[in-house]
């Protein structure tokens, strides 16, 4: 016979382990731009506006060219969950509607984090998100997620 205490442990322990493993795997992201970009910081709202196609420029009026990490990667999915609380599937549906209406186009995909860093280092207008652990001196951090 299972006691109430054992039942509680049998239910709570797996939930706690799931919670801990989720946060242990969670990636810390930063948003980066080219080192020569005049922008030194962006707000979360400004990043949302750029990544969701609402604005095509940085706050100073310069063109912005957002880059995405590869489709169906955990990094891309985690970034959008942190940014707008939507998974990649919902983001893809959002962009499908915008593309159909002709109002905006989605961020340019990169082949990898390294590819994104190289594209950002090569273009003054590029903006991207990368794991904090992969920041190099080729880019400038303009936003760190809490």
């Amino acid at each position: 016979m299972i006691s109430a205490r054992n039942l509680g442990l049998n239910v709570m322990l797996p939930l706690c382990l799931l919670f801990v493993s989720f946060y242990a795997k969670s990636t810390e992201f930063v948003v980066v731009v080219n080192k020569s970009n005049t922008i030194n910081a962006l707000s979360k709202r400004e990043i949302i506006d750029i990544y969701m196609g609402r604005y095509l420029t940085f706050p100073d009026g310069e063109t912005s060219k957002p880059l995405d990490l590869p489709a169906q990667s955990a990094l891309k999915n985690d970034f959008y969950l942190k940014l707008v609380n939507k998974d990649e599937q919902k983001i893809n549906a959002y962009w499908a509607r915008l593309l159909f209406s002709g109002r905006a186009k989605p961020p340019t995909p990169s082949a990898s984090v390294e590819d994104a860093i190289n594209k950002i280092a090569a273009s003054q207008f590029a903006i991207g998100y990368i794991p904090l652990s992969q920041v190099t001196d080729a880019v400038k951090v303009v936003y760190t997620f809490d």
Side-chain angles (χ1 to χ4, degrees), residues 3-14:
S3 70
R5 179 178 175 192
N6 286 343
L7 180 61
L9 285 175
N10 288 338
V11 171
M12 293 305 293
L13 185 60

Side-chain angles (χ1 to χ4, degrees), residues 44-116:
K44 186 173 184 181
R45 170 54 46 202
E46 290 165 333
I47 295 164
I48 290 169
D49 288 342
I50 290 170
Y51 267 89
M52 301 308 285
R54 295 181 188 125
Y55 293 130
L56 302 176
T57 62
F58 289 109
D60 65 358
E62 290 290 333
T63 301
S64 68
K65 296 189 179 195
L67 299 171
D68 253 338
L69 292 181
Q72 298 165 349
S73 70
L75 293 174
K76 180 177 179 179
N77 194 64
D78 289 352
F79 171 74
Y80 282 102
L81 283 170
K82 287 183 178 187
L83 186 65
V84 291
N85 201 29
K86 294 186 186 311
D87 62 21
E88 186 177 358
Q89 185 177 2
K90 289 179 182 170
I91 293 299
N92 290 341
Y94 170 85
W95 279 112
R97 286 190 303 275
L98 283 184
L99 282 170
F100 182 74
S101 70
R103 292 192 311 225
K105 61 183 242 190
T108 303
S110 296
S112 64
V113 172
E114 294 77 17
D115 182 45

Side-chain angles (χ1 to χ4, degrees), residues 13-34:
L13 185 60
L15 287 175
C16 289
L17 291 174
L18 179 65
F19 180 79
V20 168
S21 69
F22 172 77
Y23 282 97
K25 293 179 185 176
S26 183
T27 302
E28 272 191 82
F29 287 101
V30 292
V31 177
V32 295
V33 297
N34 182 283

Side-chain angles (χ1 to χ4, degrees), residues 33-34 36-38 58 62-63 119-127:
V33 297
N34 182 283
S36 65
N37 192 310
T38 59
F58 289 109
E62 290 290 333
T63 301
K119 287 177 178 177
I120 294 163
S123 171
Q124 180 179 346
F125 307 111
I127 180 172

